[in-house]
Short mmCIF file of all heavy atoms in Angstrom, two decimals:
data_model
loop_
_atom_site.label_atom_id
_atom_site.label_comp_id
_atom_site.label_asym_id
_atom_site.label_seq_id
_atom_site.Cartn_x
_atom_site.Cartn_y
_atom_site.Cartn_z
N LEU A 173 13.21 -4.44 2.46
CA LEU A 173 11.99 -4.53 3.17
C LEU A 173 10.78 -4.38 2.36
O LEU A 173 9.73 -5.08 2.52
CB LEU A 173 11.96 -3.64 4.43
CG LEU A 173 10.71 -3.65 5.30
CD1 LEU A 173 10.41 -5.08 5.88
CD2 LEU A 173 10.79 -2.58 6.42
N ILE A 174 10.77 -3.32 1.54
CA ILE A 174 9.61 -3.00 0.70
C ILE A 174 9.14 -4.12 -0.14
O ILE A 174 7.98 -4.60 -0.22
CB ILE A 174 9.77 -1.68 -0.11
CG1 ILE A 174 9.95 -0.58 0.88
CG2 ILE A 174 8.69 -1.42 -1.06
CD1 ILE A 174 10.29 0.84 0.26
N PRO A 175 10.06 -4.70 -1.06
CA PRO A 175 9.60 -5.82 -1.88
C PRO A 175 9.15 -7.07 -1.11
O PRO A 175 8.21 -7.79 -1.51
CB PRO A 175 10.85 -6.19 -2.79
CG PRO A 175 11.96 -5.55 -2.14
CD PRO A 175 11.51 -4.40 -1.36
N ALA A 176 9.78 -7.34 -0.02
CA ALA A 176 9.41 -8.40 0.91
C ALA A 176 7.97 -8.19 1.54
O ALA A 176 7.12 -9.04 1.57
CB ALA A 176 10.37 -8.67 2.04
N PHE A 177 7.67 -6.96 1.84
CA PHE A 177 6.38 -6.54 2.35
C PHE A 177 5.32 -6.71 1.28
O PHE A 177 4.23 -7.31 1.53
CB PHE A 177 6.40 -5.07 2.83
CG PHE A 177 5.08 -4.51 3.07
CD1 PHE A 177 4.37 -4.75 4.28
CD2 PHE A 177 4.52 -3.58 2.20
CE1 PHE A 177 3.16 -4.26 4.51
CE2 PHE A 177 3.36 -2.99 2.52
CZ PHE A 177 2.64 -3.34 3.61
N VAL A 178 5.60 -6.32 0.05
CA VAL A 178 4.60 -6.45 -1.01
C VAL A 178 4.34 -7.83 -1.33
O VAL A 178 3.16 -8.23 -1.55
CB VAL A 178 5.13 -5.62 -2.27
CG1 VAL A 178 4.21 -5.89 -3.46
CG2 VAL A 178 5.32 -4.12 -2.02
N THR A 179 5.43 -8.69 -1.25
CA THR A 179 5.24 -10.18 -1.58
C THR A 179 4.34 -10.74 -0.50
O THR A 179 3.42 -11.53 -0.77
CB THR A 179 6.59 -10.85 -1.65
OG1 THR A 179 7.39 -10.24 -2.56
CG2 THR A 179 6.37 -12.34 -1.92
N SER A 180 4.54 -10.43 0.66
CA SER A 180 3.77 -10.89 1.86
C SER A 180 2.25 -10.33 1.73
O SER A 180 1.30 -11.19 2.03
CB SER A 180 4.26 -10.55 3.17
OG SER A 180 5.49 -11.15 3.41
N GLU A 181 2.11 -9.26 1.34
CA GLU A 181 0.75 -8.61 1.19
C GLU A 181 -0.03 -9.33 0.08
O GLU A 181 -1.19 -9.63 0.19
CB GLU A 181 0.81 -7.07 0.84
CG GLU A 181 1.24 -6.23 2.03
CD GLU A 181 0.12 -6.28 3.10
OE1 GLU A 181 -0.80 -5.59 3.02
OE2 GLU A 181 0.36 -6.99 4.14
N LEU A 182 0.60 -9.62 -1.05
CA LEU A 182 -0.07 -10.37 -2.16
C LEU A 182 -0.44 -11.71 -1.68
O LEU A 182 -1.57 -12.21 -2.03
CB LEU A 182 0.90 -10.40 -3.31
CG LEU A 182 1.12 -9.08 -4.08
CD1 LEU A 182 2.10 -9.29 -5.19
CD2 LEU A 182 -0.24 -8.50 -4.61
N LYS A 183 0.39 -12.46 -0.86
CA LYS A 183 0.08 -13.75 -0.45
C LYS A 183 -1.11 -13.76 0.47
O LYS A 183 -1.98 -14.57 0.34
CB LYS A 183 1.34 -14.37 0.25
CG LYS A 183 1.09 -15.84 0.73
CD LYS A 183 2.28 -16.44 1.25
CE LYS A 183 2.06 -17.91 1.75
NZ LYS A 183 3.28 -18.50 2.30
N THR A 184 -1.09 -12.87 1.38
CA THR A 184 -2.15 -12.71 2.36
C THR A 184 -3.47 -12.37 1.64
O THR A 184 -4.56 -12.87 1.94
CB THR A 184 -1.90 -11.58 3.48
OG1 THR A 184 -0.66 -11.96 4.11
CG2 THR A 184 -3.01 -11.57 4.39
N ALA A 185 -3.47 -11.45 0.67
CA ALA A 185 -4.67 -11.08 -0.08
C ALA A 185 -5.20 -12.30 -0.82
O ALA A 185 -6.41 -12.42 -0.90
CB ALA A 185 -4.29 -9.98 -1.05
N PHE A 186 -4.32 -13.17 -1.44
CA PHE A 186 -4.87 -14.38 -2.16
C PHE A 186 -5.44 -15.36 -1.16
O PHE A 186 -6.37 -16.03 -1.50
CB PHE A 186 -3.71 -14.94 -3.01
CG PHE A 186 -3.62 -14.34 -4.36
CD1 PHE A 186 -2.91 -13.06 -4.49
CD2 PHE A 186 -4.02 -14.97 -5.49
CE1 PHE A 186 -2.87 -12.46 -5.74
CE2 PHE A 186 -4.00 -14.29 -6.71
CZ PHE A 186 -3.37 -13.09 -6.83
N GLN A 187 -4.83 -15.43 0.03
CA GLN A 187 -5.41 -16.32 1.00
C GLN A 187 -6.77 -15.93 1.43
O GLN A 187 -7.73 -16.73 1.51
CB GLN A 187 -4.51 -16.49 2.27
CG GLN A 187 -3.18 -17.13 1.94
CD GLN A 187 -2.19 -17.13 3.13
OE1 GLN A 187 -2.33 -16.19 4.02
NE2 GLN A 187 -1.30 -18.01 3.24
N ILE A 188 -6.94 -14.63 1.70
CA ILE A 188 -8.37 -14.11 2.05
C ILE A 188 -9.30 -14.28 0.88
O ILE A 188 -10.42 -14.63 0.95
CB ILE A 188 -8.26 -12.66 2.47
CG1 ILE A 188 -7.35 -12.49 3.68
CG2 ILE A 188 -9.60 -12.02 2.63
CD1 ILE A 188 -7.12 -11.07 4.15
N GLY A 189 -8.73 -14.02 -0.40
CA GLY A 189 -9.57 -14.16 -1.58
C GLY A 189 -10.06 -15.59 -1.78
O GLY A 189 -11.16 -15.78 -2.18
N PHE A 190 -9.17 -16.56 -1.51
CA PHE A 190 -9.54 -17.93 -1.62
C PHE A 190 -10.72 -18.24 -0.70
O PHE A 190 -11.72 -18.98 -1.03
CB PHE A 190 -8.33 -18.86 -1.35
CG PHE A 190 -8.75 -20.27 -1.18
CD1 PHE A 190 -8.94 -21.07 -2.32
CD2 PHE A 190 -8.76 -20.89 0.09
CE1 PHE A 190 -9.29 -22.35 -2.22
CE2 PHE A 190 -9.10 -22.24 0.14
CZ PHE A 190 -9.36 -22.97 -1.04
N MET A 191 -10.72 -17.78 0.52
CA MET A 191 -11.71 -18.04 1.52
C MET A 191 -13.00 -17.38 1.14
O MET A 191 -14.16 -17.94 1.26
CB MET A 191 -11.33 -17.56 2.87
CG MET A 191 -10.09 -18.25 3.49
SD MET A 191 -10.31 -20.08 3.46
CE MET A 191 -11.61 -20.30 4.73
N LEU A 192 -12.90 -16.18 0.47
CA LEU A 192 -14.17 -15.53 -0.06
C LEU A 192 -14.74 -16.27 -1.19
O LEU A 192 -15.95 -16.25 -1.40
CB LEU A 192 -13.77 -14.07 -0.41
CG LEU A 192 -13.39 -13.14 0.66
CD1 LEU A 192 -13.05 -11.79 0.12
CD2 LEU A 192 -14.68 -12.92 1.66
N PHE A 193 -13.89 -16.90 -2.05
CA PHE A 193 -14.43 -17.50 -3.33
C PHE A 193 -15.10 -18.80 -3.03
O PHE A 193 -16.12 -19.09 -3.73
CB PHE A 193 -13.21 -17.86 -4.21
CG PHE A 193 -13.39 -17.51 -5.54
CD1 PHE A 193 -12.67 -16.44 -6.06
CD2 PHE A 193 -14.15 -18.19 -6.39
CE1 PHE A 193 -12.87 -16.07 -7.43
CE2 PHE A 193 -14.35 -17.80 -7.74
CZ PHE A 193 -13.60 -16.70 -8.23
N LEU A 194 -14.93 -19.54 -1.90
CA LEU A 194 -15.50 -20.86 -1.65
C LEU A 194 -17.00 -20.89 -1.58
O LEU A 194 -17.73 -21.57 -2.33
CB LEU A 194 -14.92 -21.46 -0.37
CG LEU A 194 -13.49 -21.88 -0.44
CD1 LEU A 194 -13.05 -22.48 0.83
CD2 LEU A 194 -13.32 -22.95 -1.53
N PRO A 195 -17.67 -19.92 -0.80
CA PRO A 195 -19.19 -20.06 -0.66
C PRO A 195 -19.81 -19.70 -2.05
O PRO A 195 -20.82 -20.34 -2.42
CB PRO A 195 -19.45 -18.96 0.41
CG PRO A 195 -18.26 -18.07 0.48
CD PRO A 195 -17.15 -18.95 0.15
N PHE A 196 -19.26 -18.76 -2.82
CA PHE A 196 -19.83 -18.41 -4.11
C PHE A 196 -19.55 -19.52 -5.15
O PHE A 196 -20.41 -19.75 -6.01
CB PHE A 196 -19.18 -17.06 -4.64
CG PHE A 196 -19.47 -15.95 -3.72
CD1 PHE A 196 -18.45 -15.32 -3.03
CD2 PHE A 196 -20.73 -15.38 -3.61
CE1 PHE A 196 -18.68 -14.27 -2.20
CE2 PHE A 196 -21.01 -14.39 -2.73
CZ PHE A 196 -19.98 -13.78 -1.99
N LEU A 197 -18.43 -20.23 -4.96
CA LEU A 197 -18.21 -21.36 -5.85
C LEU A 197 -19.26 -22.52 -5.55
O LEU A 197 -19.72 -23.14 -6.43
CB LEU A 197 -16.77 -21.95 -5.71
CG LEU A 197 -16.37 -23.14 -6.46
CD1 LEU A 197 -16.45 -22.81 -7.98
CD2 LEU A 197 -14.94 -23.53 -6.09
N ILE A 198 -19.56 -22.72 -4.31
CA ILE A 198 -20.57 -23.76 -3.94
C ILE A 198 -21.87 -23.36 -4.54
O ILE A 198 -22.60 -24.25 -5.06
CB ILE A 198 -20.67 -23.83 -2.43
CG1 ILE A 198 -19.34 -24.41 -1.82
CG2 ILE A 198 -21.86 -24.76 -2.00
CD1 ILE A 198 -19.23 -24.42 -0.34
N ILE A 199 -22.26 -22.13 -4.51
CA ILE A 199 -23.57 -21.71 -5.17
C ILE A 199 -23.54 -21.98 -6.63
O ILE A 199 -24.50 -22.46 -7.24
CB ILE A 199 -23.85 -20.28 -4.86
CG1 ILE A 199 -24.07 -20.09 -3.30
CG2 ILE A 199 -25.06 -19.75 -5.65
CD1 ILE A 199 -24.30 -18.63 -2.98
N ASP A 200 -22.45 -21.70 -7.38
CA ASP A 200 -22.30 -21.94 -8.83
C ASP A 200 -22.49 -23.44 -9.07
O ASP A 200 -23.13 -23.84 -10.01
CB ASP A 200 -20.92 -21.38 -9.29
CG ASP A 200 -20.95 -19.92 -9.37
OD1 ASP A 200 -21.99 -19.31 -9.54
OD2 ASP A 200 -19.88 -19.36 -9.28
N LEU A 201 -21.77 -24.31 -8.26
CA LEU A 201 -21.90 -25.75 -8.52
C LEU A 201 -23.33 -26.25 -8.25
O LEU A 201 -23.80 -27.14 -9.11
CB LEU A 201 -20.92 -26.45 -7.56
CG LEU A 201 -19.45 -26.16 -7.81
CD1 LEU A 201 -18.59 -26.89 -6.76
CD2 LEU A 201 -19.01 -26.70 -9.20
#
Side-chain angles (χ1 to χ4, degrees):
L173 178 58
I174 293 176
F177 169 74
V178 173
T179 303
S180 294
E181 286 295 280
L182 290 174
K183 181 176 181 179
T184 303
F186 274 77
Q187 289 176 338
I188 298 176
F190 172 76
M191 299 303 296
L192 290 176
F193 227 106
L194 288 180
F196 300 110
L197 179 61
I198 294 175
I199 294 178
D200 286 332
L201 292 175

